[in-house]
Structures are given as C-alpha cells and as structure tokens.
Amino acid sequence: MCAISGIVNIRSERDTAEIINAMNQAQAHRGPDDAGIFCDEKVIFGHRRLSIIDLENGHQPIVTPDGALVLIVNGEIYNFQEMRRDLEKRGHHFQTNTDSECIIHLYEEYGEDFVNFLDGMFAFALYDTVKHRVILGRDRLGQKPLLYFMDGETLIFASEFAGLMKHPDFPEKLDTYAISDYLSLQYIPSPDTAFRNVRKLPPGHLLCFNLTGNTVSIRCYWQLDYSIKNSELSIGAAAQELRKLVEKAVEKRLVSDVPLGTFLSGGVDSCIITGITAKMLYPAPCEAFTAGFGNAAYDERSAARRSAEIINSVCGGNLRCHEKEIKSDDFDLVLKLLPRFGEPFADASALPFFLLSEFAKSKISVALSGDGADEIFAGYERYLAMRYAEKIYWLPGTLRKMLFAGVAKMLPDKGERTTSGRIKRLLKLFASPEKSGYFNLLDRCPASLKKELFGPAMEKALKHNSAECFTTLDWELISHDKVEKLGELDLKTYLPGDILVKADVASMANALELRSPFMDTAVVEFAARLPMKYKLHGKERKKILKMAFPEFITPELSARPKRGFGVPVAAWLRESWKLPAQEKLFSSRLISGNFINESTLKRFWDMHQSGEADYSYILWELIVLDLFLEKME
C-alpha cells in the first residue's frame, strides 16, 4: 500500500522538485518504508511505499530499461502471478517480483485495454514517454483513492487531500452545494469534493492526458451488469459456487511478505472472512482483532467472542482474538483523525476503526475485512424497509403523507437505535415521494432543517436539491428490481464515498493495508447475476451468503440483529464530549463565517441535551465541518 502524486504538463521550473517532495512527505504515513521521484521536462511523479510484497526490490517509480514507460501504483494486484506467467510466455522480462510491475507489461501487450486484466485494488499513474500521454486509473469499486485538479493546462493529482494541498495552486474555493450534500449524507459523493475545482476520479474509470494536444478524456472501463440473471441455477448450487468464489478471493488476499490477520465483529461478513482465513492458515495462528464500547447497545465484543469460539471449533483452534475497548472520553482523537480526510466526513465509526487499525498494526501489517457484502448481498436493514415501502407506494402521495407523516410527528425522536426512532424513520419513508424515498431515508439534514440552519454563506445552497446525488444516477442503474437497484446505487455512492474512504484513511493513517475479499471482481459479478430472492428472501437478508458457509453462520449467529460498527455519539455529546463539543460549536467558524444561524444551533443543542430530541447527527456533522474550516485557514 502506498501513496502517489504527480504534476503533468509542467509549464515552469518553479520549485517543481520542492513541490513534489512536499506532496510526497504529506502522504508519508501511507508509505513509511520508501520514497521515490521521477522527473523529466513535462512530468514529475512522486511515490511513498508501504512494503508488502518483494520488500527489497519494490522501489517506485518503476521505469522500463528503455525509459519508455514510468509507473507509480497505490494498491495490490492479486492476480499478478498469473499475469506474470502469461506475460513471460509472451516474451516479457521482469525486473522485480512485485505485483505492480505487471501493469507496465500488460500495457505494453494490450495498450489501454490492459486495465481489464487487473484484479485488485489500485490507483495508478502511467507515463508513456513515446506516445506522450499519462493515464490515471482507479480500481472497479474505488477501494483506493485518486484526487486531481487542473491548473490551466497542468494536471495535478495525489492519493489524499493532504498531498494535493501542498501544491501552491490548489483551488481552495468551497463548493457549498457539496457541503449541503455532506450535511445530508455525512460524506460528499464522487466525483465532487468540498472544493469547487477538485475532483475524485470515479471508481472503474481511466483519465488520459494527451501531452501533445493538452487534452483530457475520462472513460468508464467497467460497469457491473445486473441485467442477466442465473435464474436456472438453484439457490443450493448458487451457494456452493459462491462459496468457491469467496474462498478463492480470500486465498488471493493472503499473499504477503509481512504478517497479516483479520478484523472480527459479531456479524456475518467478518465471521466468514475470519473463518476462511483461519482455515487456510492452519496450523499457523490467525490473528483477529475486535473493538467495543462500554455502551451495551453498541458493544459487539461478546458476539465476536462467540464467533471466535465457533471458528475455533471448526478450524482447529488456531484463531487468536484480540480485543480493545474504545473509551468515550478521548475528544482529542476527533481533532487528530478527522482532518486527515481532507474534506468534511462525519461517519463517526471512523474513530473506532482508526483505533482498531492502530491496535492491529502492533501485530500485523495487512488485515482482511468483510466490507462490501452488505451492498452486494442486500444486507442493510434499509433494503428491507424499501421493500415494505414498495407495498405502500401504490397509495396516492397526498394520502400517504397525511397518514404516515402525521403519526411520525407524534412519536418521540430518541435516536434511531430505539424502537420509536426506527418506527419514526420508517413512517417518514412511507410518507416520502417514491422517487426520493431512499434518499429521504438516509438524509440526516433534510431541506426543512437546512432552511432553518443555513446562514448567509450557505444561502445559495438552499436552491440545491441534495437528492440529485441519487436521482441523477438513475439512468446508469441497470437492475430491474427496485430494491436491488438501491444496492447498485450504494455501490456507486455509499460504498466508495463513505465505507471505503473511512477504511482507507483510518487504516493508512496507521500504515495498515486493508483487503476486502467480498469486493473481489468475480464475487461481485456473480452476486449481480443472482436473483434478488436469493439475497433478500422475505425478512431474511444475505440469505445465500449464510447458506454458503453454514459451519460459521450457525442459527445462533444468523439470528443476531445487525448492528454495524456504530458509535454512541448521541450519548457522548450529552456526557464525556459535552463540554469540548459545546466549546467547539459555539466558538466556531461556522458562526463567525455566517455558515449557520447561531440561534438555530442553540435550539438544536438544548433540545439534544434535554433529551427532547436526538440531534446528534447534525451536531456531529457541524463539529466535523468546523474542524475542516479550521484547517483551511
């Protein structure tokens, strides 16, 4: 795992080496083992390396002996050994044993189509000095980040905002529409960022910069196809095939020259990944790491212990489970971690994820996780809620609004993990227009609250409908099943915008590489071809995944309610975080910069403190936004 940065189409000699060195150094936490720079009259690349494979010879940038091609990569190519054998048969000669080098030879053999042969998580920059072009690429699901901006006819890119911001021409003008989207979703969906002229390269895309004509083109090289279904395959046969694919995905991700382990919660996904890993490593020990809170509603340690017992009974006892309790009084961690995201990001589970990564790094350098399974196997409770909503939406919208919105207002807002909170949220969904129902279900700061909250600096954003983050993607979605279509939407928005950003930043802040077998291309493409009833069957979510691994997913584990890696922010804001959070909010740049109305903020704060309502999401998002504005000064 690494960090990359670069400047393409250099127009002057103004401290170019100094700039790329600064960009490199700002991302050193991602690659503490090595650094490298390539420079000619038009292009300069920087690289930081976390050594995982071929520790001695994996220096980057990689330059071909004839100087024709230059490559920098962040990520892992899991099928590199297979690709290498094939390429050597075709006459290619390798300089190293690294996985990254196969990209150069695939490009020599297949041109731009080389990316179709890559199986892994990656972001790369390839400079073809003969054809005078630079190609940037990102993996299919967006596991590795890549940011860029244009300064005139010059392209500047980096793995993180921290690196990109070291360029003196970084455009710092805020995109208030994107900030409004963030307040709704807790993250800013691709390709937008908090900055008006900075972009994220979307997952599964290539950017080509032609140095001869100074032109830029972006194209999609991969799209998941939900249109063809394996309906003739019985669910039993499909479960057996899925089992083989997941086991193969794990096996590929166990290739490492450094110690590895897994993250283990009390849920289905991590239990399967940890169980397969322990089985494959046997008799060698398998290290698993879990975290929990003192708050019982959010603590999964006892469930993780039970999962570990089941795994050890199946795999011979080689699983070693390590636990860490997350303390609620460390507000300094908020100040330390959240600015690393480079833009507002309010998924609070990043905090325990960071501490878990820090804890795991003491013993391992690579961890396997269960990320991605919920999106492809219909694991989220909200998919079931949308299935219920389907049965309601035949009623006229005015009638639904009158029936359900009125009842929802009568229920107390005590938080979404309470029974009343869950019912209230479901009723609001039933009252929503069908087209925006899913967005409204996820919206943490609806338009009515924004109207009260936004100050003059955000006034123009009131004209922006944040639901367009979802609705503008409708034409791209292929699935015919309405609920499956939401999983497809999440693969384009929530997964790369929230889950994978959190995982990447929190793990790489500790120089820990995270690998996710459920995001293997073969697994994802197979899941897309499965009938929806194999995934969401009645009230049962992830049905086929549970069927595929009955030895790990016992009836006991299958019956556990899904919790996710939640964080008790609502309680912390009333208890251990109350004073620092209050000080942060009411002496914030949000108020002095006229981003929000102080009187509205005070009302939200007082109602939350009294327990009259749960405003934890909005308050937390505003704390994070203020930290971002503070760093921008």
Side-chain angles (χ1 to χ4, degrees):
M1 205 54 55
C2 311
I4 62 176
S5 55
I7 305 170
V8 181
N9 201 27
I10 298 168
R11 289 310 211 175
S12 70
E13 297 180 1
R14 184 195 59 177
D15 300 325
T16 303
E18 183 178 336
I19 291 171
I20 205 70
N21 272 316
M23 294 173 72
N24 236 10
Q25 187 56 36
Q27 302 181 127
H29 56 278
R30 297 182 67 94
D33 299 328
D34 191 20
I37 288 176
F38 166 86
C39 185
D40 69 7
E41 69 279 2
K42 284 288 187 180
V43 173
I44 184 165
F45 282 172
H47 188 267
R48 294 290 317 200
R49 186 184 185 217
L50 174 63
S51 302
I52 301 294
I53 295 174
D54 194 2
L55 307 186
E56 297 297 324
N57 302 307
H59 180 78
Q60 294 189 40
I62 300 173
V63 184
T64 56
D66 60 1
L69 300 173
V70 185
L71 175 73
I72 48 176
V73 185
N74 167 29
E76 297 290 344
I77 309 301
Y78 300 124
N79 64 337
F80 78 98
Q81 293 169 327
E82 175 189 342
M83 290 294 99
R84 178 175 180 137
R85 287 191 294 269
D86 179 68
L87 288 162
E88 285 177 334
K89 290 178 182 177
R90 295 172 180 267
H92 292 262
H93 300 283
F94 284 72
Q95 305 172 62
T96 72
N97 292 317
T98 66
D99 58 315
S100 299
E101 190 184 350
C102 73
I103 293 178
I104 279 184
H105 297 283
L106 284 169
Y107 176 77
E108 289 175 327
E109 188 70 27
Y110 301 107
E112 278 192 37
D113 289 339
F114 78 95
V115 71
N116 298 318
F117 294 88
L118 297 178
D119 176 14
M121 54 177 183
F122 52 80
F124 64 80
L126 178 67
Y127 177 25
D128 186 331
T129 66
V130 177
K131 294 184 178 178
H132 306 290
R133 65 182 180 183
V134 172
I135 301 173
L136 306 184
R138 196 172 175 206
D139 65 71
R140 292 167 177 80
L141 293 175
Q143 295 177 75
K144 294 293 103 185
L146 193 54
L147 304 159
Y148 69 95
F149 70 90
M150 296 290 296
D151 177 36
E153 294 180 336
T154 299
L155 171 71
I156 299 96
F157 67 87
S159 294
E160 291 188 359
F161 284 99
L164 209 61
M165 288 176 175
K166 289 299 180 180
H167 195 282
D169 295 321
F170 180 85
E172 294 187 351
K173 194 165 185 178
L174 294 182
D175 184 339
T176 56
Y177 285 10
I179 298 299
S180 181
D181 294 343
Y182 152 76
L183 289 169
S184 285
L185 297 173
Q186 299 186 289
Y187 66 94
I188 298 174
S190 174
D192 295 334
T193 74
F195 305 97
R196 190 169 296 178
N197 294 310
V198 180
R199 291 288 176 266
K200 300 160 186 158
L201 184 64
H205 280 66
L206 294 178
L207 182 154
C208 184
F209 190 110
N210 188 319
L211 287 158
T212 302
N214 298 330
T215 58
V216 175
S217 62
I218 298 176
R219 71 173 178 90
C220 177
Y221 69 83
W222 182 81
Q223 169 84 349
L224 194 58
D225 188 357
Y226 284 84
S227 64
I228 301 173
K229 297 298 182 184
N230 288 334
S231 301
E232 74 287 351
L233 197 64
S234 71
I235 190 169
Q240 288 301 311
E241 181 62 24
L242 176 61
R243 180 185 181 98
K244 293 175 186 176
L245 291 172
V246 175
E247 287 176 339
K248 186 175 180 181
V250 171
E251 184 178 20
K252 286 188 286 188
R253 285 158 180 79
L254 295 182
V255 177
S256 172
D257 293 333
V258 295
L260 55 78
T262 71
F263 286 169
L264 177 64
S265 70
V268 168
D269 312 329
S270 66
C271 184
I272 289 172
I273 298 303
T274 299
I276 298 171
T277 301
K279 195 172 182 179
M280 289 183 173
L281 292 180
Y282 184 85
C286 174
E287 312 291 346
F289 300 83
T290 189
F293 304 95
N295 187 322
Y298 293 83
D299 193 2
E300 287 203 293
R301 283 175 295 173
S302 61
R305 287 180 208 129
R306 181 60 187 136
S307 294
E309 289 174 3
I310 293 169
I311 292 168
N312 270 326
S313 69
V314 173
C315 300
N318 64 325
L319 181 65
R320 300 174 181 173
C321 198
H322 309 275
E323 294 183 5
K324 181 179 182 66
E325 181 171 341
I326 307 298
K327 303 295 184 181
S328 64
D329 56 357
D330 189 7
F331 194 77
D332 287 343
L333 177 60
V334 175
L335 308 180
K336 174 183 177 182
L337 174 62
L338 294 183
R340 287 182 178 268
F341 288 88
E343 67 177 0
F345 182 85
D347 184 339
S349 64
L351 303 174
F353 204 101
F354 170 84
L355 293 174
L356 181 61
S357 298
E358 182 181 57
F359 178 47
K361 180 62 180 179
S362 64
K363 292 184 178 293
I364 61 175
S365 291
V366 175
L368 274 63
S369 79
D371 290 334
D374 285 314
E375 288 79 6
I376 63 175
F377 295 112
Y380 292 125
E381 188 176 50
R382 59 182 184 250
Y383 299 152
L384 185 57
M386 291 303 298
R387 187 64 91 203
Y388 293 151
E390 272 189 295
K391 303 179 187 302
I392 300 293
Y393 280 150
W394 65 270
L395 292 171
T398 51
L399 179 59
R400 286 189 288 104
K401 188 173 183 180
M402 182 177 65
L403 287 174
F404 300 114
V407 177
K409 286 180 181 179
M410 297 169 59
L411 292 174
D413 187 0
K414 300 294 185 180
E416 64 179 44
R417 293 215 174 198
T418 64
T419 301
S420 65
R422 290 163 62 134
I423 295 173
K424 189 181 183 78
R425 200 173 174 202
L426 188 62
L427 291 173
K428 286 182 177 180
L429 169 65
F430 292 166
S432 295
E434 183 175 2
K435 186 175 181 182
S436 57
Y438 189 58
F439 179 84
N440 292 344
L441 182 65
L442 303 179
D443 192 356
R444 302 301 185 186
C445 189
S448 58
L449 290 186
K450 289 176 182 177
K451 191 173 181 179
E452 295 181 69
L453 185 64
F454 284 2
M458 291 291 292
E459 188 174 2
K460 289 183 179 179
L462 289 173
K463 301 175 184 177
H464 171 63
N465 180 9
S466 289
E468 291 176 359
C469 294
F470 287 5
T471 56
T472 55
L473 294 174
D474 283 349
W475 68 274
E476 295 183 23
L477 304 178
I478 297 171
S479 177
H480 300 297
D481 184 280
K482 289 183 179 180
V483 175
E484 185 177 56
K485 189 172 288 189
L486 301 177
E488 186 182 359
L489 177 65
D490 280 342
L491 283 173
K492 293 177 177 292
T493 54
Y494 181 62
L495 183 69
D498 185 319
I499 298 296
L500 297 181
V501 171
K502 171 187 68 181
D504 180 75
V505 172
S507 61
M508 293 311 301
N510 293 288
L512 179 75
E513 178 175 303
L514 200 65
R515 299 176 178 177
S516 305
F518 286 123
M519 283 186 274
D520 184 84
T521 302
V523 173
V524 173
E525 291 180 341
F526 181 76
R529 293 192 298 272
L530 292 173
M532 187 60 177
K533 64 183 179 181
Y534 288 5
K535 295 177 276 190
L536 180 61
H537 184 76
K539 293 182 179 180
E540 186 177 8
R541 291 164 279 149
K542 292 191 279 198
K543 179 178 178 64
I544 191 169
L545 185 59
K546 297 172 185 177
M547 285 183 62
F549 296 94
E551 72 273 37
F552 300 130
I553 311 306
T554 62
E556 171 199 349
L557 192 152
S558 185
R560 289 178 196 159
K562 180 177 176 60
R563 290 183 176 180
F565 207 2
V567 180
V569 172
W572 290 357
L573 286 172
R574 296 184 181 115
E575 299 164 1
S576 56
W577 284 8
K578 179 178 178 179
L579 292 179
Q582 186 174 20
E583 181 180 355
K584 195 87 185 108
L585 283 170
F586 291 98
S587 61
S588 68
R589 290 141 195 86
L590 296 171
I591 296 172
S592 62
N594 293 315
F595 286 90
I596 63 171
N597 295 314
E598 185 174 6
S599 59
T600 303
L601 174 62
K602 188 175 188 308
R603 180 162 58 85
F604 289 174
W605 176 264
D606 290 344
M607 290 177 71
H608 184 77
Q609 293 304 319
S610 69
E612 182 180 346
D614 181 356
Y615 279 106
S616 57
Y617 279 105
I618 295 173
L619 294 172
W620 172 245
E621 287 176 330
L622 293 176
I623 290 170
V624 174
L625 180 56
D626 182 61
L627 286 171
F628 165 73
L629 295 173
E630 179 182 342
K631 188 170 183 181
M632 292 309 302
E633 289 186 346

